[in-house]
Amino acid sequence: MKFTSTIILSSLLSGVSAFVPVARPTVATSSLAATGVDDKTEVREYFNTEGFNRWNKIYSDSDEVNSVQLDIRTGHDQTIQKILNWVQDDGDISGKSVCDCGCGVGSLAIPLAQMGAKISASDISDSMANEAARRAKEMGLEAKFYTSDLESVSGKYDTVTCVDVAIHYPTDKMAEMVGHLCSLAEDRVIISFAPKTWYYSFLKKVGELFPGPSKTTRAYLHEEEVVRNALKKAGFEVAREEMTGTNFYFSRLLEAKRV
């Protein structure tokens, strides 16, 4: 469930649904709330079924993607590469423990394992975690992949990563989520999220006016100040930052180190 913290303009001439947040179309929050389904259950069910089939193709070399999905793949790949560049520049990941929360199909965890990191990666979706484990095994890598929601992840790790997952956390839970990630990290936390700006908020509103044909998940934008304050409160300071933006993917990336 490498849930892309993005805003997607998925209304191309091909008839894909309007402006929507995250690399996955979303339906209006009001209609989902009326069902009484909470965000966590909604995300788990989606990425164990239709969502898995869709995103497994996007996070692969499959040709069965449309132009919007291909653009999202490109944006997500750029975010992953920026993290890997940081790690390569530091040159000390081999033998270090990394906890990847919301690992999806292993887009980040697998290349980190190739670099010698000791990987413990989790995802709320059985389908995603199992696919990540399959890919790692196929490559002859030793890495732990298991099913868990973010709040239930425990332990202590040198580095904790949570990339393109925050899109599924409501604003009132974002600071708590960041705090939990920090409680797992001995040295640093790397997190990405869809930034809440007037422009991205506008795109999200437009998307809600034209919901797509498929039931998916709610999406949340986050004010960068809230994320930074939560990191600071937990005893971390932002050391490096990046912004990735393609036509249909927008993601703010922060690396924070314990001070």
Side-chain angles (χ1 to χ4, degrees):
M1 185 178 77
K2 193 48 74 179
F3 306 135
T4 45
S5 300
T6 63
I7 298 210
I8 304 166
L9 168 57
S10 50
S11 164
L12 287 186
L13 297 177
S14 57
V16 191
S17 65
F19 288 106
V20 268
V22 199
R24 40 183 83 73
T26 182
V27 294
T29 301
S30 57
S31 63
L32 287 168
T35 67
V37 177
D38 64 272
D39 291 276
K40 188 182 297 186
T41 300
E42 175 188 304
V43 169
R44 180 185 295 111
E45 291 179 351
Y46 175 69
F47 284 98
N48 271 327
T49 53
E50 175 192 349
F52 170 72
N53 294 328
R54 179 178 301 168
W55 293 99
N56 189 35
K57 290 179 181 178
I58 293 176
Y59 298 145
S60 70
D61 295 325
S62 172
D63 293 328
E64 297 180 36
V65 292
N66 59 39
S67 58
V68 173
Q69 293 169 333
L70 182 59
D71 184 84
I72 293 165
R73 176 192 290 171
T74 299
H76 179 71
D77 286 349
Q78 288 177 9
T79 293
I80 295 299
Q81 189 57 53
K82 287 172 182 177
I83 297 173
L84 296 178
N85 288 343
W86 286 346
V87 172
Q88 289 171 340
D89 288 344
D90 293 340
D92 62 352
I93 197 65
S94 183
K96 297 289 184 67
S97 59
V98 176
C99 174
D100 188 19
C101 297
C103 65
V105 296
S107 301
L108 176 61
I110 288 176
L112 287 178
Q114 289 177 308
M115 296 168 71
K118 297 178 180 178
I119 299 295
S120 177
S122 62
D123 199 278
I124 197 172
S125 161
D126 284 320
S127 298
M128 288 288 188
N130 290 338
E131 173 63 15
R134 185 196 67 77
R135 293 188 184 190
K137 182 178 180 180
E138 191 175 78
M139 299 174 70
L141 298 172
E142 289 189 15
K144 177 183 178 182
F145 292 95
Y146 65 101
T147 304
S148 174
D149 59 27
L150 189 151
E151 294 85 353
S152 299
V153 176
S154 61
K156 289 291 183 180
Y157 308 88
D158 294 310
T159 295
V160 173
T161 60
C162 187
V163 180
D164 293 346
V165 174
I167 195 75
H168 299 290
Y169 278 79
T171 302
D172 60 348
K173 293 183 179 180
M174 184 61 177
E176 181 181 351
M177 185 268 271
V178 173
H180 179 61
L181 293 173
C182 291
S183 73
L184 302 172
E186 296 282 8
D187 180 36
R188 66 178 168 184
V189 170
I190 297 175
I191 184 172
S192 72
F193 56 94
K196 186 176 183 179
T197 66
W198 71 266
Y199 179 64
Y200 297 163
S201 296
F202 169 73
L203 296 185
K204 183 176 185 295
K205 287 295 184 183
V206 173
E208 290 174 349
L209 295 175
F210 303 94
S214 302
K215 178 185 183 299
T216 56
T217 63
R218 281 167 281 196
Y220 301 93
L221 310 183
H222 299 288
E223 294 181 0
E224 187 168 334
E225 183 179 6
V226 171
V227 180
R228 287 179 176 267
N229 287 342
L231 289 167
K232 185 176 181 180
K233 182 178 179 180
F236 285 74
E237 184 177 275
V238 174
R240 290 181 284 202
E241 55 192 87
E242 284 280 1
M243 180 70 196
T244 301
T246 63
N247 291 327
F248 308 103
Y249 174 102
F250 302 92
S251 183
R252 183 65 162 154
L253 179 65
L254 301 178
E255 176 200 54
K257 294 193 174 183
R258 188 176 290 279
V259 293

